[in-house]
Amino acid sequence: MELVILPEWFDRSAVTIAPELIGCTLVRQLPDGQQLRGIIVETEAYQEGDPACHAYRKQTKRNQVMFGDPGYVYVYLIYGMYHCVNVVTDKAGAPSAVLIRALELDRDTLVSIPRKPSEKPVKVAAGPGKLCRAMQIDLDLYGTKLDLGQALWLEHRSTDWQHKLDGGSIKLTQTTRIGLTQGVDLPWRWYVTDCHAVSKW
DNA sequence: GGTAGGATTACG
DNA sequence: GTAATCCTACCT
């Protein structure tokens, strides 16, 4: 299998893809060529018929990328100060996305990220806002294609990680989503069980 | 044209 | 508990 995840892989429902993205690697390539890498440990799915989905009502300038082809980046500003990054899923006309909520940062990436001395390294990318700050993701990446050589792309699970999942030493937990006022009962959040890098419990 | 509130986080 | 901070949706 190709290492880099191709756009066609995202042409499925968000609820199918969200748990499959756990264990995959998010790669951020900066303009200077430096790469920041982290393994996804927490995701949430948002799709049609879901009142919490930003595309639930109608197409707007903000959510329009969700209405388009899969495999593109949906970034939005929340609470005026934080960014959240999503992967657009499913075919054009079926607006949906997977929110990436937490990463286990690659060791080299970790040392390259500026942070307060008091801040525990593992908490740097725990939470969608902090994750975007650590990976330097902002609205400039809105509508970017997820592909090798772009600002952002995804890579499949390593065989080692997959074996750990198959063998039961890594487990996934499925539960309800966080921070919502609508659609609170939909169990569309997944994370690595007992992972210390997951945002909230 | 005005405004309430949000897929968050940090700090008291 | 609540401030920070801004874009969007949803009024009028």
Side-chain angles (χ1 to χ4, degrees):
Chain A
M1 186 170 347
E2 291 280 339
L3 179 62
V4 175
I5 300 179
L6 301 171
E8 303 86 79
W9 190 86
F10 297 105
D11 188 10
R12 297 176 293 148
S13 77
V15 168
T16 301
I17 289 175
E20 291 189 18
L21 271 180
I22 307 276
C24 295
T25 297
L26 180 70
V27 184
R28 167 76 167 113
Q29 180 149 294
L30 302 178
D32 68 2
Q34 185 189 1
Q35 285 184 5
L36 306 176
R37 311 174 68 90
I39 295 175
I40 298 170
V41 295
E42 182 183 3
T43 59
E44 286 179 358
Y46 293 86
Q47 65 183 31
E48 276 186 304
D50 169 14
C53 180
H54 286 170
Y56 181 61
R57 293 182 182 280
K58 59 180 181 182
Q59 186 169 347
T60 65
K61 190 183 172 193
R62 178 216 208 187
N63 68 21
Q64 64 181 349
V65 71
M66 295 176 76
F67 287 80
D69 290 324
Y72 286 79
V73 180
Y74 170 42
V75 183
Y76 64 89
L77 183 63
I78 187 81
Y79 301 116
M81 41 186 356
Y82 296 102
H83 298 281
C84 293
V85 64
N86 300 247
V87 178
V88 174
T89 54
D90 221 328
K91 55 185 60 60
S96 63
V98 173
L99 171 67
I100 300 174
R101 292 190 55 91
L103 299 176
E104 180 100 49
L105 291 175
D106 171 86
R107 187 176 186 78
D108 293 334
T109 298
L110 203 49
V111 296
S112 72
I113 288 176
R115 62 174 192 274
K116 294 175 233 171
S118 61
E119 197 171 9
K120 287 190 178 175
V122 79
K123 293 294 181 190
V124 168
K130 291 198 289 189
L131 178 161
C132 285
R133 199 177 53 196
M135 300 294 271
Q136 299 178 41
I137 294 167
D138 62 25
L139 290 175
D140 288 347
L141 270 61
Y142 183 95
T144 305
K145 191 172 190 172
L146 286 161
D147 207 353
L148 188 66
Q150 297 286 326
L152 210 60
W153 69 84
L154 286 155
E155 296 177 1
H156 284 291
R157 292 168 178 168
S158 69
T159 51
D160 180 51
W161 199 97
Q162 184 66 52
H163 287 156
K164 284 178 181 170
L165 182 67
D166 295 339
S169 62
I170 292 177
K171 294 191 182 74
L172 300 188
T173 297
Q174 178 178 3
T175 181
T176 51
R177 296 171 298 180
I178 285 184
L180 312 155
T181 55
Q182 299 190 302
V184 292
D185 294 329
L186 293 170
W188 287 354
R189 173 176 176 240
W190 290 264
Y191 59 87
V192 176
T193 308
D194 298 329
C195 178
H196 46 297
V198 165
S199 56
K200 292 183 194 172
W201 297 99

